Amino acid sequence: MVGGPRYRVPFRRRKQGKTDYQARRALVLSKLPRLVVRYTLRNIIVQVVKAKATGDEVIAHANSSELAKTYGWKGDCGNVPGAYLTGILCGYRAIAEGVKETVFDVGLQSPTKGAKIFAVLKGVLDAGLTIPHNKEILPDEARIKGQHIVDYAKQLASNPETYQKRFSKYLSRDFKPEQLTEHFSLTKEKIVSSFKKEEKKK
């Protein structure tokens, strides 16, 4: 057992593997709101958060489950295209609240080039927020639109049993995965146009 006069008990959330306090301190000292991305097995949660002495204040929030409910998204809510659309939705909401610049908070996730969290980042950037980043980590346009999913669906088309099994969720929504790139563009346009309408009203 670790002990001794100089031993310090780690903070509870550090012991639980939930918070890297050294990284969080650096983000808070930037005095900019944090773009926080977390995800479950099915959904992606994006928040723009400002640190305050009384606790974090959420300025803007978006959950990928909103894509289907509000914008008619028929694709998966937890993949790269869904992540991008959730990011652009949260980005527009943050701008509507007066946010212009944020810092990216990946938490304890291991940053991997082209990962879902960076698809979210790309969406937020396209909405108009300024975030320090390396462009090389962002997914390419084809992947963001789901071209890799379309190619995989076409590859499995010759094997109906496997095709049905892998894309059962898409098919249950009366949607063919081969149409994903076009559907992505339509859904993105719905999100963008909805905020443009709000701006005109103001």
Side-chain angles (χ1 to χ4, degrees):
M1 183 175 176
V2 181
R6 296 181 177 229
Y7 177 69
R8 294 176 63 186
V9 178
F11 291 128
R12 176 177 56 82
R13 289 182 64 85
R14 175 70 270 188
K15 289 172 68 177
Q16 293 173 341
K18 292 180 178 179
T19 302
D20 181 341
Y21 282 96
Q22 187 174 358
R24 179 182 169 85
R25 182 175 182 272
L27 292 170
V28 170
L29 287 176
S30 73
K31 296 183 179 180
L32 291 171
R34 305 186 333 266
L35 174 66
V36 180
V37 181
R38 303 292 182 264
Y39 50 84
T40 66
L41 290 175
R42 294 184 179 180
N43 293 310
I44 295 166
I45 302 155
V46 186
Q47 295 177 323
V48 175
V49 178
K50 188 169 185 178
K52 290 190 172 182
T54 53
D56 286 351
E57 177 189 352
V58 177
I59 302 171
H61 170 273
N63 190 306
S64 59
S65 62
E66 297 177 64
L67 300 175
K69 295 175 184 176
T70 309
Y71 300 99
W73 175 245
K74 294 183 179 180
D76 196 308
C77 289
N79 60 12
V80 172
Y84 173 88
L85 293 171
T86 309
I88 202 169
L89 177 60
C90 186
Y92 276 119
R93 287 177 176 171
I95 289 170
E97 293 297 325
V99 178
K100 295 180 179 178
E101 186 177 1
T102 69
V103 288
F104 195 32
D105 181 356
V106 298
L108 297 177
Q109 301 173 73
S110 299
T112 304
K113 181 180 178 180
K116 287 187 289 187
I117 56 171
F118 296 122
V120 172
L121 174 60
K122 174 64 173 167
V124 175
L125 289 167
D126 286 354
L129 280 179
T130 300
I131 306 172
H133 68 286
N134 182 346
K135 291 182 179 180
E136 292 182 2
I137 63 174
L138 301 176
D140 59 44
E141 286 295 326
R143 186 169 178 81
I144 283 173
K145 291 180 178 179
Q147 186 60 50
H148 60 295
I149 299 171
V150 172
D151 293 341
Y152 185 51
K154 289 178 178 178
Q155 183 183 334
L156 292 182
S158 58
N159 189 333
E161 186 177 339
T162 307
Y163 178 88
Q164 288 278 344
K165 184 178 180 180
R166 294 292 171 88
F167 294 104
S168 58
K169 289 184 180 179
Y170 288 82
L171 298 172
S172 67
R173 300 171 190 140
D174 195 26
F175 178 70
K176 292 184 178 181
E178 293 90 336
Q179 302 170 334
L180 186 60
T181 54
E182 292 84 359
H183 181 58
F184 169 89
S185 297
L186 289 171
T187 307
K188 179 182 175 181
E189 181 56 35
K190 285 181 183 178
I191 295 171
V192 174
S193 60
S194 68
F195 283 94
K196 284 183 178 178
K197 288 177 182 176
E198 288 297 321
E199 287 178 5
K200 287 180 180 179
K201 287 180 181 177
K202 292 179 181 179

